[in-house]
Amino acid sequence: MSKKTVLVSGGAGFIGSHVTVELIAAGYDVVVADNFSNCDHTCFEGVKKITGREDLPLEVVDFCDAAATDALFAKYPIDAVIHFAAFKAVGESVAEPVKYYKNNLTSFLNVLETAQKRGGCNVLFSSSATVYGEPEKVPVTEQTPRQPATSPYGNTKTMCEDILRDTVKANGGKIKGILLRYFNPIGAHPSALIGELPRGVPNNLVPYITQTAIGKRECLNIFGNDYPTPDGTCQRDFIDIVDLAKAHVYAVTRMVEGKMKQDCEVFNVGTGRPLSVMELVNAFEKVNGVKLNYKFAPRRAGDITAIWADPTLAETEMGWKATRTIEETLKAAWAWECHLAGK
Ligand code: UDP
């Protein structure tokens, strides 16, 4: 069978670069497309090194440009597209909703419009556990009702889920869709050649931890220790980035090999293991032998108390499950920060 081609929009970013590595390892041809609005070339260069693919196609494209999107699909024989290209800062989305809705919706609509014009495609959308809001019951399954999003960013995820579902329905099986709902992706590739590269002050916990440990930030604020959880800090489902990337390979393979049971499917991508912020901080210190300067601070507005996945469906349907331990993940995150610091 000839090799299948996967277009990875936003393929030079944190998740996109790890997914590209795993797709290539699984034998796919990959086209990386990115407009580099929120990342530089570091991860793309890292991907080329890890895979030994100096010739890996890179297209500098803004998916908000419909003509450029059409041209990209005309240039390559694309069997599936994984759509990551989107703005992702929750706080910024609250301050600049128009920018977020315009970018995140337009780029996805352009991909779908092009797919429609070309007679169909397999489309994988990167959704988020944010669509579950503050769940009444944990763990959450794919059947857990979605809740109104608490930010424009979260809203774009819910809206894109609906847009894909409706588009699949209207296209009589020609467009197939998979929605992957990520929990909290953390860590880095074990090679320490690719990882998370936040611009400015990190919003997310693990980059904040590693930057504090390396001395770039003075002190980690742990937002709230009075939550109704065992140790008072929030609980999350922290999923290793390499495990998460592999879930995309399983999903793409399911699509291109015609193994889907419905034309639009949804899977949680998490470990099923809750970990509190405090437990994560303790594990980071222990596994890496570093002391972290941290203090308890007031709760952060909009934070959910506790959420973790029931990942059973991804395992029974796709054969995917997370395998990396939190120790391996936190070691990789630290190795990446040290690599960036030249240590
Ligand atoms: N968090 C924290 N200090 C930080 C960043 C995050 O205590 O500097 C906490 C945050 O309150 C939440 C958890 O870490 O309970 C995960 O936050 P993150 O922003 O990484 O992901 P989220 O779950 O909000 O998508």
Side-chain angles (χ1 to χ4, degrees), residues 184 203-205 208 220-223 234 236 277 300 303:
N184 287 61
N203 291 308
N204 295 117
L205 179 61
Y208 210 104
L220 168 75
N221 287 309
I222 295 182
F223 298 133
C234 294
R236 293 288 182 276
V277 173
R300 182 172 73 176
D303 272 343

Side-chain angles (χ1 to χ4, degrees), residues 90 128 130 153 183-186 196 202-209 212 219-224 227 233-238 276-277 280-281 295 297-300 302-305 307:
V90 176
S128 163
T130 190
Y153 162 77
F183 283 69
N184 287 61
I186 61 165
E196 211 166 350
N203 291 308
N204 295 117
L205 179 61
V206 170
Y208 210 104
I209 289 176
T212 305
C219 180
L220 168 75
N221 287 309
I222 295 182
F223 298 133
Y227 282 98
T233 63
C234 294
Q235 291 173 302
R236 293 288 182 276
D237 186 332
F238 296 99
S276 75
V277 173
L280 186 99
V281 167
K295 67 174 194 302
R299 292 182 179 192
R300 182 172 73 176
D303 272 343
I304 304 300
T305 302
I307 184 164

